[in-house]
Amino acid sequence: PITHMVLAEVHKRTQLFTASQDNTIKMWEQECAGAAKRCPLVGAPTPLNGMSVFSMLNATRIFAGCDDGVMYMWSLPPNPIDLKLNFRAKLANFLASVPVALFVMAAILVDVCAAIFFEFGIPDADKDCFGRDSAPA
């Protein structure tokens, strides 16, 4: 059963957090049709008795008291947790990343260097009438 509920503003949206006897803290995402999706955030070693959520600037901290008499703290990531990120959105994020851009630029550079070498690096005497490399075998 749920032992504690907190409404808190996280990433410019009001979110519902629940703590329960199953040792979990969940963040509930409100859907436009009235239904809610849950996002399990953390698990504690013992059942949770109370919880508080504190947000300041980009840092969000969750404090929870457990049955073992210990208070635990967790930090949420600075970016929103997006439950709707599908394959197409993940692929778009990957293709827009810096490593992919560097790889594409390196491939273009290799292609340009190869074109320059094969255009100017082979003497005209070693080319046939079509401009192909015809070095003796």
Side-chain angles (χ1 to χ4, degrees):
I2 294 174
T3 57
H4 204 76
M5 294 189 300
V6 174
L7 280 173
E9 187 169 328
V10 178
H11 307 302
K12 299 180 183 175
R13 296 187 308 196
T14 301
Q15 303 286 352
L16 174 65
F17 293 84
T18 59
S20 63
Q21 290 289 316
D22 67 354
N23 306 1
T24 60
I25 294 176
K26 296 180 178 90
M27 181 176 75
W28 297 82
E29 178 84 20
Q30 181 69 35
E31 292 294 309
C32 50
K37 287 185 179 179
R38 68 179 176 171
C39 178
L41 294 176
V42 293
T46 60
L48 297 148
N49 293 326
M51 173 184 57
S52 178
V53 179
F54 178 73
S55 293
M56 182 178 214
L57 302 173
N58 283 341
T60 302
R61 306 263 193 261
I62 300 171
F63 299 92
C66 296
D67 272 353
D68 59 3
V70 178
M71 180 187 295
Y72 294 91
M73 182 198 73
W74 296 275
S75 296
L76 287 180
N79 298 322
I81 298 171
D82 191 0
L83 300 175
K84 300 174 188 171
L85 202 60
N86 59 12
F87 175 74
R88 183 174 286 167
K90 289 179 184 177
L91 181 63
N93 288 342
F94 172 72
L95 292 176
S97 68
V98 173
V100 171
L102 291 175
F103 176 78
V104 169
M105 289 190 321
I108 291 170
L109 181 64
V110 167
D111 188 46
V112 168
C113 290
I116 290 172
F117 172 76
F118 287 112
E119 182 64 31
F120 301 109
I122 300 172
D124 288 335
D126 291 339
K127 293 181 182 177
D128 63 8
C129 61
F130 296 108
R132 297 178 294 196
D133 179 14
S134 62

